[in-house]
Amino acid sequence: MDTQTHEGHHGHAHKPREPNVHHAPPTEAAAPGTVYTCPMHPEIRQDQPGNCPKCGMTLEPVLPSLDEEENPELSDFKRRFWWTLPLTAVVTVLAMFGHSLGWFDMAKQSWVELVLTLPIVLWAGAPFFVRGAQSVVNRSPNMWTLISLGTGAAFVYSVVATVAPQVFPASFVSMGRVAVYFEAAAVIISLTLLGQMLELKARSQTSAAIKSLLGLAPKTARRIEPDGSEADVPLSHVHVGDLLRVRPGEKVPVDGVVVEGSSALDESMLTGEPLPVTKRAGDKLIGATMNTSGALVMRAEHVGSATVLSQIVQMVAMAQRSRAPMQRMADTVAGYFVVGVVGIALLTFFGWGLLGPEPGWVYGLINAVAVLIIACPCALGLATPMSIMVATGRGATSGVLFRDAAAIENLRKIDTLIVDKTGTLTEGRPTFERAVAADDATEDEVLRLAASLDQGSEHPLAAAIVAAAKQRGLGLDKPEQFDSESGIGVRGTVAGKALALGNTALMEQLGVDVSALASQAEALRAQGASVMHLAVDLKLYGLLAVSDPIKATTPDALASLRKAGLRVVMATGDGLTTARAVGQRLGIDEVHGEVKPADKLKLVEKLQSEGRVVAMVGDGINDAPALARADVGIAMGTGTDVAMNSAQLTLVKGDLRGIATARALSVATVANMKQNLGFAFVYNALGVPLAAGLLYPFTGWLLSPMIAALAMSLSSASVITNALRLRKADTGPD
């Protein structure tokens, strides 16, 4: 964020800055207790486990826990699968080879198969039939509708054929009995259980990013008690204001500020910044970062869900559960698809029964079951949610936080990037550049007098001058009198001398001639510095230049963005001369200076009216309207929480290179979603006609329901496996 500024530092109304503060997500994500949701339908949320009323999938926690054991549904399916697998194998062997083995006459064999299949269907397959019934009750046809119909039809038909074979016409009799398909029902249930096990195991990997973030936090903190004693306490017992000791090799327990000591902190696990950052008294600390060398005493400022780590975890979880715009198409198609498949299955049954070769009704039943099984839209439903979950986790580990799935889809489309200057292109922390002395004065004396006067000011530029004087070891005098001249500078008395420090407007007001150093002042402004004049007893004594240094990563970031074909525009509240100087150094041709918040908003709207897809990058309160209006708002993680509340994407470490990373991830994710959706559509487009037997007159091919069940299970697993490839997607340098 930038605000409109003049030459003098007291005319520059800086925003309050609170580094590394992240906005709190909506309360539903942070509510106490475990919240369960559906992987396919994130709008389904409840405070207890259960099945999704729309698709029948088992609900899972919004936020995974490090302490959680194996998924209880996975454990249950494993138990059902392994206990009934031997029965399925025996039933299958009997169906395929029973007549040649001669163990039973064929009528008795049907009864044996019935007895062996009962526990498979009634116990192992019970969850599928319950979900199928729920889909009918909730009027939400889904994959379980098809599975329960298919296996139920095969099983009920076979039971009737075994118990009352006389109700069937003679054409149904084969090898001394009415043909039964217990093995089809048994194998389909076993293969569906196997497919669900593979899917659940793969789905558990999509939450690996959140679990790795949760694992960063230490379990305890060393608290310094009021009496000076120290004790290790659980992290949940740390309160705001507590003094904590962080020893070398330990993790910072919560967010806070350094009170004593200095050390290098490794923040790479949260920000992606590879180099340790030196922290001294007064510097902010982020919880879960590693203290590498020195000992620190810190004061806790944010604990529990208010820490940066906790809010990153919640933000990632919310993004993972959001629905991509591309998913709406898949959901609409899937809703009609199930109804259409049931219709196709009925046509298949009657078509074969009325028009097919003998025994036509048997062929019709088997092919109808195959249609119901292979057409399950599970792969279609998982196509985009799995990609989004993996992509948001990958982004979080690279210091890029997507607010929702729409941000991932839209970021790849941007062609214009509006960037703020202060805190975005630059560090946002004013740094003393140099002093220029007039006549017989020295540079150190100019700095010493200015710093002595500025001790009475809270302005960021004043703080930079005072800090520079102290760093040089200059002895400062206490100002005897201090007055702030609103917008143009300060005046006061130091060691009996009347001092004035400010811009040319203040000097003109006091009648001080500044022409002697005018050329030096203009040269400093041309380099992007803010210039202040110091007058002693109404005579020009020197100049002081304070600048906001460009971030070391900014040139590389802009180069990569231009290479990606983006048009870069700078919009800043700083003076036009300073803005142009920074733009020239960075190769930005389009520069807008002295821009108010409303002007930034108008600039976004103007570019959008020209047909541009605009992303806005900012870090402050007055960037919020433009961030909200842009097609994609990008907030710097080192800025204010208001900016991040208005943005769809947050760069945790405030590094513009993260935009290139996020954009590359956006391109890879959308491509991955299209691959998944394409595979799901092609799979069903090819599978359904084959299962219905449309190719039989030409090729003699028919699709066994067992093969259909295996194909259905493998299709879901393949979609998830493809989504997991995003964990290794090339997004350029992080």
Side-chain angles (χ1 to χ4, degrees):
M1 160 319 240
D2 296 292
T3 51
Q4 193 169 3
T5 131
H6 305 282
E7 292 170 329
H9 62 275
H10 292 278
H12 190 156
H14 279 259
K15 66 179 179 287
R17 184 171 286 282
E18 187 176 2
N20 297 318
V21 177
H22 292 261
H23 73 282
T27 54
E28 68 265 24
T34 303
V35 177
Y36 294 85
T37 187
C38 172
M40 289 190 190
H41 301 92
E43 68 274 14
I44 303 298
R45 304 172 74 86
Q46 62 185 48
D47 58 4
Q48 58 189 6
N51 295 331
C52 175
K54 291 188 175 182
C55 67
M57 294 187 76
T58 298
L59 304 181
E60 55 188 32
V62 172
L63 283 176
S65 168
L66 283 176
D67 301 326
E68 69 183 13
E69 298 178 358
E70 185 178 71
N71 185 322
E73 183 187 25
L74 178 57
S75 301
D76 179 49
F77 282 177
K78 279 184 177 179
R79 184 171 61 255
R80 294 175 190 268
F81 175 76
W82 290 112
W83 275 100
T84 58
L85 183 61
L87 300 178
T88 299
V90 173
V91 170
T92 304
V93 169
L94 285 175
M96 296 178 67
F97 307 109
H99 63 283
S100 58
L101 293 173
W103 291 347
F104 314 99
D105 66 55
M106 298 309 292
K108 288 182 180 178
Q109 180 174 313
S110 295
W111 282 96
V112 173
E113 291 182 31
L114 170 59
V115 171
L116 294 174
T117 306
L118 276 173
I120 302 172
V121 174
L122 300 183
W123 178 64
F128 307 154
F129 291 104
V130 170
R131 295 176 186 184
Q134 288 175 339
S135 72
V136 175
V137 172
N138 294 321
R139 297 180 181 179
S140 179
N142 53 53
M143 62 175 286
W144 304 111
T145 315
L146 303 181
I147 291 176
S148 58
L149 279 175
T151 55
F155 180 71
V156 170
Y157 159 82
S158 300
V159 169
V160 175
T162 302
V163 176
Q166 67 276 7
V167 303
F168 292 91
S171 62
F172 277 57
V173 178
S174 174
M175 291 184 290
R177 67 170 180 176
V178 176
V180 294
Y181 295 94
F182 288 116
E183 82 284 359
V187 171
I188 288 168
I189 288 174
S190 291
L191 287 175
T192 303
L193 283 170
L194 177 62
Q196 287 296 292
M197 288 159 52
L198 293 173
E199 178 185 316
L200 288 168
K201 194 165 184 180
R203 268 167 50 191
S204 67
Q205 297 180 50
T206 62
S207 61
I210 290 185
K211 287 187 176 182
S212 66
L213 288 171
L214 289 171
L216 294 177
K219 303 297 182 185
T220 61
R222 189 162 188 83
R223 185 167 61 194
I224 302 174
E225 306 295 349
D227 60 3
S229 62
E230 299 182 8
D232 290 326
V233 298
L235 207 60
S236 58
H237 292 186
V238 175
H239 303 288
V240 174
D242 284 352
L243 291 179
L244 309 172
R245 186 177 299 281
V246 186
R247 293 166 291 193
E250 291 183 339
K251 290 183 177 180
V252 176
V254 295
D255 297 357
V257 61
V258 178
V259 177
E260 295 178 15
S262 65
S263 180
L265 274 291
D266 180 359
E267 299 181 339
S268 60
M269 63 283 293
L270 287 182
T271 66
E273 179 58 51
L275 298 177
V277 181
T278 301
K279 301 287 185 177
R280 299 182 179 84
D283 289 339
K284 299 283 186 180
L285 295 176
I286 306 175
T289 54
M290 178 67 72
N291 181 24
T292 62
S293 53
L296 299 172
V297 175
M298 65 173 290
R299 179 181 295 107
E301 291 188 336
H302 301 286
V303 301
S305 61
T307 64
V308 169
L309 176 63
S310 294
Q311 296 192 29
I312 287 177
V313 168
Q314 292 172 18
M315 192 173 181
V316 172
M318 288 179 64
Q320 287 189 339
R321 302 300 180 187
S322 63
R323 174 166 299 189
M326 196 179 294
Q327 181 66 21
R328 296 175 194 143
M329 174 190 67
D331 290 344
T332 302
V333 171
Y336 292 106
F337 184 74
V338 174
V339 177
V341 166
V342 174
I344 293 172
L346 291 173
L347 287 174
T348 300
F349 176 70
F350 287 107
W352 276 93
L354 297 172
L355 305 174
E358 289 294 332
W361 293 103
V362 175
Y363 277 127
L365 174 66
I366 299 306
N367 290 336
V369 170
V371 167
L372 291 171
I373 298 304
I374 201 168
C376 288
C378 185
L380 191 62
L382 290 171
T384 69
M386 293 299 104
S387 299
I388 293 299
M389 290 188 73
V390 178
T392 49
R394 167 65 194 277
T397 58
S398 300
V400 175
L401 301 181
F402 291 100
R403 167 173 283 194
D404 52 33
I408 297 179
E409 279 202 40
N410 293 334
L411 188 60
R412 69 191 174 94
K413 302 175 185 176
I414 64 170
D415 53 32
T416 303
L417 187 68
I418 301 176
V419 292
D420 175 46
K421 183 181 79 68
T422 306
T424 302
L425 298 174
T426 64
E427 295 287 354
R429 294 187 297 270
T431 303
F432 176 75
E433 192 85 10
R434 60 169 296 193
V436 178
D439 298 332
D440 296 330
T442 64
E443 292 185 7
D444 279 354
E445 185 63 10
V446 171
L447 176 59
R448 190 188 73 81
L449 289 176
S452 297
L453 179 62
D454 259 341
Q455 287 180 104
S457 173
E458 295 295 327
H459 197 278
L461 298 187
I465 292 172
V466 173
K470 289 182 177 179
Q471 189 175 0
R472 296 189 184 186
L474 303 178
L476 304 184
D477 296 323
K478 186 177 180 181
E480 300 159 12
Q481 182 184 348
F482 179 85
D483 292 308
S484 175
E485 300 288 338
S486 178
I488 56 176
V490 294
R491 299 172 62 184
T493 304
V494 175
K497 298 177 181 177
L499 303 185
L501 179 65
N503 61 15
T504 52
L506 177 61
M507 297 298 109
E508 289 173 1
Q509 180 179 306
L510 298 176
V512 177
D513 182 10
V514 298
S515 59
L517 298 178
S519 59
Q520 292 94 321
E522 191 58 31
L524 290 168
R525 292 190 194 97
Q527 295 172 13
S530 296
V531 177
M532 288 146 281
H533 299 80
L534 175 66
V536 177
D537 295 330
L538 299 180
K539 183 180 179 182
L540 182 64
Y541 199 71
L543 303 175
L544 295 102
V546 176
S547 65
D548 185 3
I550 293 172
K551 292 180 181 178
T553 57
T554 295
D556 288 343
L558 293 178
S560 65
L561 292 170
R562 289 193 196 94
K563 187 176 179 181
L566 269 64
R567 168 186 174 187
V568 181
V569 180
M570 184 202 298
T572 174
D574 276 352
L576 194 53
T577 300
T578 301
R580 284 175 175 165
V582 173
Q584 186 175 8
R585 290 172 62 185
L586 293 174
I588 300 175
D589 298 325
E590 192 171 345
V591 175
H592 299 264
E594 300 179 2
V595 177
K596 299 182 176 67
D599 297 328
K600 289 185 180 180
L601 177 60
K602 289 178 182 177
L603 178 60
V604 171
E605 293 173 339
K606 175 179 176 293
L607 289 169
Q608 288 175 329
S609 69
E610 296 172 358
R612 313 290 294 190
V613 183
V614 181
M616 168 72 194
V617 191
D619 74 331
I621 293 171
N622 67 355
D623 293 322
L627 288 170
R629 182 66 181 87
D631 295 288
V632 179
I634 303 173
M636 308 300 278
T638 48
T640 64
D641 54 352
V642 176
M644 283 176 278
N645 272 315
S646 306
Q648 293 175 289
L649 176 67
T650 298
L651 308 178
V652 176
K653 57 185 176 179
D655 184 347
L656 284 177
R657 289 179 300 180
I659 298 176
T661 297
R663 196 165 185 269
L665 187 58
S666 169
V667 171
T669 303
V670 171
N672 191 271
M673 288 192 290
K674 288 180 177 178
Q675 291 164 6
N676 285 346
L677 287 171
F679 175 81
F681 280 122
V682 170
Y683 160 80
N684 284 305
L686 296 177
V688 171
L690 181 60
L694 292 182
L695 299 182
Y696 180 77
F698 311 103
T699 64
W701 293 351
L702 287 176
L703 187 67
S704 163
M706 293 174 281
I707 301 299
L710 179 62
M712 182 270 297
S713 299
L714 293 178
S715 69
S716 299
S718 64
V719 163
I720 298 171
T721 302
N722 187 49
L724 289 171
R725 291 193 308 112
L726 284 171
R727 293 190 297 181
K728 298 180 180 179
D730 182 14
T731 58
D734 291 343

